[in-house]
């Protein structure tokens, strides 16, 4: 007989959908909080120099693809609604232009190197906590642990390479 934790049970399927929805909403909230300072970073980069602004904007644009997927995939898996998954990903991404506007209009007189560094560290800490507490355990439920570690290592190598290139 299928117990509540058995993949064949409807209780298990409902539990899985609830976990996926929780993860998708959590990712949307944390990535929205993460994207606001990224928008400020693009604005500050553009204020510093046009080249810096383009480099920061390009780097952020590239890494927004997996961010959008990190929101859309669990939302779609939980709800089966592509439109909802797409809109929640878009809403999170739109916090970047809002952050850029905040950076150029409201915060420009107050932006210092220390303030940007502190905000970046705070947001990085939030993302690290979400990754360790939620993303990695969820990935391990669906994938081979070796594949998960390879993905983490590849992501780390890309970050290191990007830092040294830019």
């Amino acid at each position: 007989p299928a117990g509540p934790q058995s993949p064949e049970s409807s209780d298990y399927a409902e539990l899985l959908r609830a976990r996926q929805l929780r993860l998708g909403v959590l990712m949307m909230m944390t990535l929205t909080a993460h994207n606001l300072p990224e928008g400020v970073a693009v604005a500050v980069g553009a204020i510093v120099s046009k080249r810096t602004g383009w480099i920061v904007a390009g780097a952020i644009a590239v890494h927004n693809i997996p961010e959008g997927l990190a929101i859309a995939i669990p939302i779609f898996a939980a709800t089966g609604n592509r439109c909802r998954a797409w809109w929640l990903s878009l809403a999170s991404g739109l916090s970047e232009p809002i952050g850029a506007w905040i950076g150029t209009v409201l915060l420009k007189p107050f932006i210092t190197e220390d303030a940007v560094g502190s905000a970046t560290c705070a947001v990085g800490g939030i993302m690290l906590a979400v990754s360790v507490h939620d993303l990695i355990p969820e990935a391990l439920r669906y994938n081979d642990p070796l594949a998960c570690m390879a993905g983490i290592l590849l992501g780390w190598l890309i970050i290191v390479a990007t830092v040294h290139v830019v």
Side-chain angles (χ1 to χ4, degrees), residues 24-67:
V25 170
L26 179 66
M27 290 308 302
M28 195 252 184
M29 291 173 13
T30 56
L31 287 171
T32 298
H34 166 85
N35 286 339
L36 277 168
E38 282 184 350
V40 174
V42 172
V44 169
I47 290 168
V48 170
S49 79
K50 196 180 256 189
R51 180 180 184 276
T52 302
W54 280 110
I55 289 171
V56 172
I60 288 172
V62 168
H63 94 265
N64 280 348
I65 295 167
E67 284 182 3

Short mmCIF file of all heavy atoms in Angstrom, two decimals, residues 24-67:
data_model
loop_
_atom_site.label_atom_id
_atom_site.label_comp_id
_atom_site.label_asym_id
_atom_site.label_seq_id
_atom_site.Cartn_x
_atom_site.Cartn_y
_atom_site.Cartn_z
N GLY A 24 9.06 28.37 -5.20
CA GLY A 24 8.90 29.39 -6.25
C GLY A 24 8.60 30.76 -5.68
O GLY A 24 9.17 31.76 -6.11
N VAL A 25 7.71 30.83 -4.70
CA VAL A 25 7.37 32.12 -4.08
C VAL A 25 8.56 32.66 -3.30
O VAL A 25 8.87 33.86 -3.36
CB VAL A 25 6.11 31.97 -3.19
CG1 VAL A 25 5.87 33.22 -2.35
CG2 VAL A 25 4.89 31.67 -4.05
N LEU A 26 9.26 31.78 -2.57
CA LEU A 26 10.46 32.20 -1.85
C LEU A 26 11.51 32.75 -2.81
O LEU A 26 12.12 33.80 -2.55
CB LEU A 26 11.03 31.03 -1.05
CG LEU A 26 12.29 31.30 -0.26
CD1 LEU A 26 12.02 32.30 0.87
CD2 LEU A 26 12.85 30.01 0.32
N MET A 27 11.72 32.07 -3.92
CA MET A 27 12.69 32.53 -4.92
C MET A 27 12.24 33.88 -5.50
O MET A 27 13.07 34.76 -5.72
CB MET A 27 12.87 31.51 -6.03
CG MET A 27 13.59 30.25 -5.59
SD MET A 27 15.16 30.59 -4.75
CE MET A 27 16.03 31.50 -6.00
N MET A 28 10.96 34.03 -5.76
CA MET A 28 10.47 35.30 -6.30
C MET A 28 10.73 36.44 -5.32
O MET A 28 11.22 37.50 -5.70
CB MET A 28 8.98 35.18 -6.62
CG MET A 28 8.49 36.29 -7.51
SD MET A 28 7.47 37.41 -6.60
CE MET A 28 6.97 38.49 -7.92
N MET A 29 10.45 36.21 -4.05
CA MET A 29 10.66 37.26 -3.05
C MET A 29 12.14 37.59 -2.88
O MET A 29 12.52 38.76 -2.85
CB MET A 29 10.04 36.84 -1.72
CG MET A 29 8.52 36.80 -1.75
SD MET A 29 7.65 36.13 -0.31
CE MET A 29 8.82 36.02 0.97
N THR A 30 12.97 36.56 -2.76
CA THR A 30 14.40 36.84 -2.53
C THR A 30 15.06 37.41 -3.77
O THR A 30 15.91 38.29 -3.66
CB THR A 30 15.15 35.58 -2.06
OG1 THR A 30 14.98 34.54 -3.01
CG2 THR A 30 14.70 35.12 -0.71
N LEU A 31 14.67 36.93 -4.95
CA LEU A 31 15.28 37.48 -6.16
C LEU A 31 14.79 38.90 -6.44
O LEU A 31 15.53 39.70 -7.01
CB LEU A 31 15.04 36.56 -7.36
CG LEU A 31 15.87 35.28 -7.31
CD1 LEU A 31 15.45 34.29 -8.38
CD2 LEU A 31 17.36 35.59 -7.42
N THR A 32 13.57 39.21 -6.05
CA THR A 32 13.11 40.60 -6.18
C THR A 32 13.94 41.49 -5.26
O THR A 32 14.41 42.56 -5.68
CB THR A 32 11.61 40.70 -5.84
OG1 THR A 32 10.88 39.90 -6.78
CG2 THR A 32 11.12 42.13 -5.92
N ALA A 33 14.16 41.05 -4.03
CA ALA A 33 15.01 41.81 -3.10
C ALA A 33 16.44 41.89 -3.63
O ALA A 33 17.12 42.90 -3.46
CB ALA A 33 15.00 41.16 -1.72
N HIS A 34 16.90 40.85 -4.30
CA HIS A 34 18.23 40.80 -4.89
C HIS A 34 18.32 41.72 -6.12
O HIS A 34 19.36 42.33 -6.36
CB HIS A 34 18.50 39.34 -5.26
CG HIS A 34 19.66 39.08 -6.15
ND1 HIS A 34 20.94 38.95 -5.66
CD2 HIS A 34 19.74 38.89 -7.49
CE1 HIS A 34 21.76 38.70 -6.68
NE2 HIS A 34 21.06 38.66 -7.78
N ASN A 35 17.24 41.81 -6.89
CA ASN A 35 17.26 42.59 -8.12
C ASN A 35 17.23 44.10 -7.90
O ASN A 35 17.77 44.85 -8.71
CB ASN A 35 16.10 42.18 -9.03
CG ASN A 35 16.32 40.84 -9.67
OD1 ASN A 35 17.44 40.36 -9.77
ND2 ASN A 35 15.24 40.21 -10.11
N LEU A 36 16.58 44.55 -6.84
CA LEU A 36 16.54 46.00 -6.58
C LEU A 36 17.95 46.59 -6.47
O LEU A 36 18.27 47.56 -7.17
CB LEU A 36 15.73 46.30 -5.33
CG LEU A 36 14.22 46.38 -5.53
CD1 LEU A 36 13.50 46.38 -4.19
CD2 LEU A 36 13.84 47.60 -6.33
N PRO A 37 18.84 46.04 -5.64
CA PRO A 37 20.19 46.59 -5.57
C PRO A 37 20.98 46.38 -6.87
O PRO A 37 21.89 47.15 -7.16
CB PRO A 37 20.86 45.85 -4.41
CG PRO A 37 19.82 45.08 -3.74
CD PRO A 37 18.61 45.05 -4.58
N GLU A 38 20.63 45.33 -7.64
CA GLU A 38 21.30 45.17 -8.93
C GLU A 38 20.97 46.34 -9.85
O GLU A 38 21.83 46.82 -10.58
CB GLU A 38 20.88 43.86 -9.60
CG GLU A 38 21.56 42.66 -9.04
CD GLU A 38 21.19 41.38 -9.78
OE1 GLU A 38 20.27 41.40 -10.61
OE2 GLU A 38 21.85 40.37 -9.51
N GLY A 39 19.73 46.78 -9.81
CA GLY A 39 19.36 47.96 -10.60
C GLY A 39 20.13 49.18 -10.14
O GLY A 39 20.60 49.98 -10.96
N VAL A 40 20.27 49.33 -8.84
CA VAL A 40 21.08 50.43 -8.30
C VAL A 40 22.52 50.28 -8.79
O VAL A 40 23.16 51.27 -9.17
CB VAL A 40 21.01 50.47 -6.75
CG1 VAL A 40 21.96 51.51 -6.20
CG2 VAL A 40 19.58 50.75 -6.28
N ALA A 41 23.03 49.04 -8.81
CA ALA A 41 24.42 48.80 -9.26
C ALA A 41 24.61 49.22 -10.71
O ALA A 41 25.63 49.80 -11.07
CB ALA A 41 24.79 47.33 -9.08
N VAL A 42 23.63 48.93 -11.56
CA VAL A 42 23.72 49.35 -12.96
C VAL A 42 23.74 50.87 -13.04
O VAL A 42 24.54 51.46 -13.76
CB VAL A 42 22.56 48.77 -13.80
CG1 VAL A 42 22.54 49.37 -15.20
CG2 VAL A 42 22.67 47.25 -13.88
N ALA A 43 22.85 51.51 -12.27
CA ALA A 43 22.80 52.97 -12.28
C ALA A 43 24.11 53.57 -11.78
O ALA A 43 24.66 54.50 -12.40
CB ALA A 43 21.64 53.46 -11.42
N VAL A 44 24.64 53.03 -10.70
CA VAL A 44 25.91 53.54 -10.15
C VAL A 44 27.03 53.30 -11.15
O VAL A 44 27.88 54.17 -11.39
CB VAL A 44 26.23 52.89 -8.78
CG1 VAL A 44 27.63 53.19 -8.33
CG2 VAL A 44 25.22 53.34 -7.74
N GLY A 45 27.05 52.10 -11.76
CA GLY A 45 28.07 51.81 -12.78
C GLY A 45 28.01 52.78 -13.93
O GLY A 45 29.04 53.26 -14.42
N ALA A 46 26.80 53.11 -14.37
CA ALA A 46 26.65 54.06 -15.47
C ALA A 46 27.05 55.48 -15.05
O ALA A 46 27.56 56.25 -15.87
CB ALA A 46 25.21 54.04 -15.98
N ILE A 47 26.84 55.80 -13.78
CA ILE A 47 27.25 57.11 -13.28
C ILE A 47 28.77 57.19 -13.26
O ILE A 47 29.36 58.21 -13.63
CB ILE A 47 26.66 57.38 -11.87
CG1 ILE A 47 25.15 57.59 -11.98
CG2 ILE A 47 27.33 58.57 -11.20
CD1 ILE A 47 24.41 57.59 -10.65
N VAL A 48 29.42 56.09 -12.85
CA VAL A 48 30.88 56.05 -12.79
C VAL A 48 31.47 56.21 -14.18
O VAL A 48 32.33 57.05 -14.42
CB VAL A 48 31.37 54.74 -12.12
CG1 VAL A 48 32.86 54.56 -12.26
CG2 VAL A 48 30.96 54.71 -10.66
N SER A 49 31.02 55.36 -15.11
CA SER A 49 31.45 55.48 -16.51
C SER A 49 30.49 54.68 -17.38
O SER A 49 29.88 53.71 -16.92
CB SER A 49 32.89 54.96 -16.70
OG SER A 49 32.91 53.55 -16.75
N LYS A 50 30.38 55.11 -18.63
CA LYS A 50 29.49 54.42 -19.55
C LYS A 50 29.93 52.96 -19.73
O LYS A 50 29.11 52.05 -19.75
CB LYS A 50 29.48 55.14 -20.90
CG LYS A 50 28.35 54.76 -21.80
CD LYS A 50 28.41 55.52 -23.11
CE LYS A 50 27.37 56.60 -23.08
NZ LYS A 50 27.22 57.25 -24.39
N ARG A 51 31.24 52.74 -19.82
CA ARG A 51 31.76 51.37 -20.00
C ARG A 51 31.40 50.49 -18.81
O ARG A 51 30.93 49.37 -18.96
CB ARG A 51 33.28 51.42 -20.18
CG ARG A 51 33.89 50.04 -20.36
CD ARG A 51 35.42 50.14 -20.55
NE ARG A 51 35.99 48.84 -20.81
CZ ARG A 51 36.33 47.96 -19.86
NH1 ARG A 51 36.15 48.26 -18.60
NH2 ARG A 51 36.84 46.79 -20.19
N THR A 52 31.60 50.99 -17.60
CA THR A 52 31.26 50.23 -16.40
C THR A 52 29.77 49.92 -16.36
O THR A 52 29.37 48.80 -16.03
CB THR A 52 31.68 50.99 -15.13
OG1 THR A 52 33.08 51.26 -15.19
CG2 THR A 52 31.36 50.22 -13.87
N GLY A 53 28.97 50.88 -16.71
CA GLY A 53 27.52 50.67 -16.74
C GLY A 53 27.13 49.55 -17.69
O GLY A 53 26.31 48.69 -17.37
N TRP A 54 27.74 49.52 -18.89
CA TRP A 54 27.43 48.46 -19.87
C TRP A 54 27.92 47.11 -19.40
O TRP A 54 27.25 46.09 -19.59
CB TRP A 54 28.04 48.79 -21.24
CG TRP A 54 27.21 49.77 -22.00
CD1 TRP A 54 27.52 51.05 -22.28
CD2 TRP A 54 25.90 49.54 -22.55
NE1 TRP A 54 26.49 51.65 -22.96
CE2 TRP A 54 25.49 50.73 -23.16
CE3 TRP A 54 25.05 48.45 -22.59
CZ2 TRP A 54 24.26 50.87 -23.80
CZ3 TRP A 54 23.83 48.58 -23.23
CH2 TRP A 54 23.45 49.77 -23.82
N ILE A 55 29.10 47.06 -18.77
CA ILE A 55 29.63 45.79 -18.27
C ILE A 55 28.72 45.23 -17.18
O ILE A 55 28.35 44.05 -17.20
CB ILE A 55 31.08 45.96 -17.75
CG1 ILE A 55 32.03 46.19 -18.92
CG2 ILE A 55 31.51 44.74 -16.93
CD1 ILE A 55 33.44 46.58 -18.50
N VAL A 56 28.34 46.08 -16.23
CA VAL A 56 27.48 45.63 -15.14
C VAL A 56 26.11 45.21 -15.69
O VAL A 56 25.58 44.16 -15.32
CB VAL A 56 27.34 46.73 -14.06
CG1 VAL A 56 26.29 46.36 -13.02
CG2 VAL A 56 28.67 47.00 -13.40
N ALA A 57 25.55 46.00 -16.59
CA ALA A 57 24.25 45.67 -17.18
C ALA A 57 24.31 44.35 -17.94
O ALA A 57 23.40 43.52 -17.84
CB ALA A 57 23.77 46.80 -18.09
N GLY A 58 25.37 44.12 -18.69
CA GLY A 58 25.51 42.87 -19.45
C GLY A 58 25.63 41.66 -18.53
O GLY A 58 24.99 40.63 -18.75
N ALA A 59 26.45 41.79 -17.50
CA ALA A 59 26.62 40.67 -16.55
C ALA A 59 25.30 40.35 -15.85
O ALA A 59 24.93 39.18 -15.69
CB ALA A 59 27.70 41.02 -15.54
N ILE A 60 24.59 41.37 -15.46
CA ILE A 60 23.32 41.17 -14.77
C ILE A 60 22.29 40.57 -15.73
O ILE A 60 21.53 39.66 -15.36
CB ILE A 60 22.84 42.47 -14.13
CG1 ILE A 60 23.73 42.78 -12.92
CG2 ILE A 60 21.38 42.38 -13.72
CD1 ILE A 60 23.50 44.13 -12.29
N ALA A 61 22.26 41.05 -16.97
CA ALA A 61 21.31 40.50 -17.94
C ALA A 61 21.53 39.01 -18.17
O ALA A 61 20.58 38.23 -18.23
CB ALA A 61 21.42 41.26 -19.26
N VAL A 62 22.79 38.59 -18.27
CA VAL A 62 23.09 37.18 -18.50
C VAL A 62 22.65 36.33 -17.31
O VAL A 62 22.05 35.26 -17.48
CB VAL A 62 24.59 36.98 -18.80
CG1 VAL A 62 24.97 35.52 -18.75
CG2 VAL A 62 24.93 37.56 -20.15
N HIS A 63 22.91 36.78 -16.11
CA HIS A 63 22.55 35.94 -14.95
C HIS A 63 21.08 36.03 -14.59
O HIS A 63 20.59 35.26 -13.77
CB HIS A 63 23.49 36.19 -13.76
CG HIS A 63 23.02 37.18 -12.76
ND1 HIS A 63 23.36 38.49 -12.78
CD2 HIS A 63 22.22 37.02 -11.68
CE1 HIS A 63 22.80 39.11 -11.77
NE2 HIS A 63 22.11 38.24 -11.09
N ASN A 64 20.33 36.93 -15.23
CA ASN A 64 18.89 36.98 -14.99
C ASN A 64 18.16 35.80 -15.63
O ASN A 64 17.05 35.47 -15.20
CB ASN A 64 18.30 38.29 -15.52
CG ASN A 64 18.54 39.43 -14.55
OD1 ASN A 64 18.93 39.23 -13.41
ND2 ASN A 64 18.32 40.64 -15.01
N ILE A 65 18.76 35.16 -16.61
CA ILE A 65 18.11 34.00 -17.24
C ILE A 65 17.93 32.87 -16.23
O ILE A 65 16.80 32.41 -16.01
CB ILE A 65 18.90 33.55 -18.49
CG1 ILE A 65 18.84 34.66 -19.55
CG2 ILE A 65 18.34 32.24 -19.04
CD1 ILE A 65 19.82 34.49 -20.68
N PRO A 66 19.00 32.41 -15.55
CA PRO A 66 18.75 31.37 -14.55
C PRO A 66 17.92 31.86 -13.36
O PRO A 66 17.20 31.07 -12.75
CB PRO A 66 20.15 30.93 -14.11
CG PRO A 66 21.08 31.98 -14.59
CD PRO A 66 20.43 32.67 -15.74
N GLU A 67 17.98 33.14 -13.06
CA GLU A 67 17.13 33.66 -11.98
C GLU A 67 15.66 33.51 -12.35
O GLU A 67 14.84 33.10 -11.53
CB GLU A 67 17.44 35.13 -11.70
CG GLU A 67 18.70 35.36 -10.94
CD GLU A 67 18.95 36.83 -10.64
OE1 GLU A 67 18.11 37.69 -10.98
OE2 GLU A 67 20.00 37.12 -10.04
#
